[in-house]
Amino acid sequence: MSTIKDVARLANVSVATVSRVMNNSPKASAASREVVLKAMAELGYTPNANARALVSQTCDTMGVVVGDVADPFFGALVKGVAAVAVEQGLHLLMGNGFHRAQQEREAIELLIGKRCEALVVHSKALDDEELIDYALRAPGMVLINRDIPSLRGRCIALNNRLGAATATRHLLDLGHRHIAFLSSDHAIEDALLRHQGYQDALAEAGLSADPELVESGMPNEEGGERAMLNLLAKGLPITAVVAYNDAMAAGAISVLADNGFKVPEEVSVVGFDDIIYARYLRPKLSTMRYPIELMAAQAAKLALQLAAGEGESVQSRIYTPTLINRHSVAPVRL
């Protein structure tokens, strides 16, 4: 494999001259550029990105940490960051955290080690103190779907509690009073806040939250299926369901159909996130839109600004989820 010294030898210039050409230094003359690029082509030499970063003290990569890129929600998050990276001519490095502290820690350490100056991090398992330490090490690090008061101006988040309350109020407005909640069994803030939002709306309507109407499961289709099966097994008079996310809602709709319940005529279902397949379910899923792609793009732009030393905002940006009313919800049958 050719090295920078081989290029310098073939071009009959110094290693420093090769380095200046590789890093587009204004000190590199046109003649030097010509002979160095010709030598690189002849040798098939490709500059090592890490080596270039050490020389120039800059990096042409942006980093992003997500829960699991196989999840459509996180796929949309990566898409939002990637759009900004491409626009800025940057490469994108990605790590999966799987909502586990050690994996999140390793992913962040790896990206910092790769000299990614701009980082968009979705972390749910690491505590505030550890994320604050990382933010001190990486001035261009922005948190998404997390709001830490001492990192005000470096957080992009969603009002999850309001979102679940809005979904529940929508069902209450349609006359539903026996409303179940399918919660995520992940011990993360999102699950707690969405459950609280559901309870808020019931309390506003003068209804007590019945713990028997709440079931938890993995935040995917299978988890939604199992949670819905557990609800049906109790034989309770359920007329509507609020699901933690669209994947759980899809699992619940499948179970309801398999057991002879018509959606929405007999049981209404509302999801959360508005991921891509929500509009292709049958019936099309009513859900709370989580503008994750928009938020991710905003987080990426902020990370670049911070990495460039342009300063941070006065406060965190908290987005509001909006109701997308499709075909999985109907007024309660009298």
Side-chain angles (χ1 to χ4, degrees), residues 7-332:
V7 174
R9 190 178 301 112
L10 182 59
N12 197 27
V13 296
S14 68
V15 170
T17 297
V18 175
S19 178
R20 283 194 288 269
V21 171
M22 285 166 44
N23 290 287
N24 295 314
S25 170
K27 295 181 180 180
S29 67
S32 295
R33 292 180 190 279
E34 183 178 351
V35 295
V36 169
L37 293 175
K38 181 179 179 182
M40 289 172 62
E42 287 185 20
L43 293 171
Y45 176 75
T46 302
N48 179 277
N50 288 335
R52 292 181 64 181
L54 288 171
V55 173
S56 65
Q57 296 301 307
T58 61
C59 186
D60 61 354
T61 57
M62 174 181 284
V64 58
V65 177
V66 298
D68 182 359
V69 74
D71 184 318
F73 174 83
F74 290 114
L77 191 163
V78 171
K79 184 178 179 182
V81 176
V84 174
V86 169
E87 182 181 279
Q88 297 299 318
L90 301 173
H91 300 294
L92 187 66
L93 294 182
M94 188 199 68
N96 287 314
F98 300 110
H99 294 321
R100 300 189 189 107
Q102 187 56 32
Q103 277 87 345
E104 290 183 355
R105 190 175 297 118
E106 289 175 357
I108 296 172
E109 291 281 359
L110 174 64
L111 295 178
I112 291 177
K114 291 292 184 181
R115 301 180 62 81
C116 294
E117 295 180 352
L119 292 170
V120 175
V121 175
H122 185 286
S123 170
K124 288 297 179 181
L126 297 180
D127 60 29
D128 288 1
E129 289 71 22
E130 191 163 0
L131 289 172
I132 291 168
D133 287 341
Y134 279 126
L136 292 173
R137 288 175 55 190
M141 186 177 105
V142 171
L143 296 177
I144 189 166
N145 198 19
R146 185 82 174 253
D147 187 23
I148 299 176
S150 59
L151 292 179
R152 185 173 292 114
R154 297 176 65 176
C155 299
I156 304 288
L158 184 82
N159 193 331
N160 281 286
R161 188 167 183 167
L162 175 63
T166 300
T168 308
R169 290 189 194 111
H170 179 54
L171 294 169
L172 289 165
D173 289 344
L174 293 172
H176 294 277
R177 292 297 179 267
H178 302 286
I179 304 171
F181 183 73
L182 304 186
S183 182
S184 167
D185 62 4
H186 284 178
I188 61 176
E189 186 182 38
D190 296 24
L192 175 63
L193 291 174
R194 293 181 191 183
H195 187 201
Q196 289 176 338
Y198 159 78
Q199 293 175 317
D200 290 344
L202 292 178
E204 289 169 7
L207 301 173
S208 58
D210 184 354
E212 286 294 299
L213 289 175
V214 178
E215 282 291 333
S216 299
M218 290 289 290
N220 55 30
E221 294 84 354
E222 184 178 355
E225 287 181 337
R226 292 186 178 182
M228 194 69 235
L229 282 170
N230 289 341
L231 283 173
L232 293 180
K234 296 176 183 179
L236 301 173
I238 298 167
T239 66
V241 175
V242 175
Y244 169 78
N245 64 11
D246 293 343
M248 294 190 79
I253 288 174
S254 176
V255 166
L256 288 167
D258 290 345
N259 286 272
F261 291 91
K262 294 180 180 179
V263 177
E265 292 86 354
E266 294 176 290
V267 181
S268 292
V269 179
V270 182
F272 204 116
D273 288 344
D274 194 28
I275 59 176
I276 185 64
Y277 66 67
R279 72 196 72 166
Y280 299 112
L281 291 172
R282 289 296 180 268
K284 294 183 179 182
L285 184 64
S286 292
T287 185
M288 297 305 301
R289 180 172 182 262
Y290 193 139
I292 188 59
E293 190 173 331
L294 174 67
M295 291 168 60
Q298 180 67 30
K301 292 174 183 176
L302 176 58
L304 288 170
Q305 291 173 7
L306 294 173
E310 295 180 14
E312 55 194 57
S313 304
V314 177
Q315 60 185 13
S316 298
R317 181 75 179 269
I318 309 298
Y319 283 73
T320 300
T322 51
L323 177 67
I324 305 298
N325 196 5
R326 295 193 178 101
H327 304 153
S328 64
V329 170
V332 67

